[in-house]
Amino acid sequence: IAASSPGSLHYEQKSLKLIVPDMKHHRPAEPKKWKIAIVVWLAIYPVITLLQFLFGHQLGKISPLPLRTLVITAIVVPLMVYVAEPLVSRIFASWLKK
């Protein structure tokens, strides 16, 4: 950004290229799918186990099965998306990048 007159600013395209790199050429490598599968499993296993340990008896009373599955997934999916998966991904970040 450079001033062309008092109180006004204009953009110079050449200087912006130096500040903002071309992201097409600097994209980080994505983790391998098998590594993502392991990380997801490491996140989901304790969530489901804890859910069954704490509420298994109450969840078992919900009938029919599709309704029970709906309730369980309504609990598990947000826990996975907002808590477990980000935590496990952070823990294994360096391994995922290799």
Side-chain angles (χ1 to χ4, degrees), residues 40-59:
V40 169
W41 181 80
L42 288 171
I44 202 166
Y45 179 80
V47 169
I48 292 173
T49 303
L50 186 61
L51 181 68
Q52 290 296 330
F53 178 75
L54 295 175
F55 305 108
H57 186 68
Q58 293 87 350
L59 291 170

Side-chain angles (χ1 to χ4, degrees), residues 28-78:
E30 290 188 25
K32 293 181 175 27
K33 290 211 185 268
W34 66 269
K35 288 185 176 186
I36 294 170
I38 290 172
V39 168
V40 169
W41 181 80
L42 288 171
I44 202 166
Y45 179 80
V47 169
I48 292 173
T49 303
L50 186 61
L51 181 68
Q52 290 296 330
F53 178 75
L54 295 175
F55 305 108
H57 186 68
Q58 293 87 350
L59 291 170
K61 294 177 184 178
I62 300 172
S63 186
L65 179 61
L67 180 58
R68 183 180 330 145
T69 304
L70 178 68
V71 170
I72 291 170
T73 56
I75 296 167
V76 170
V77 170

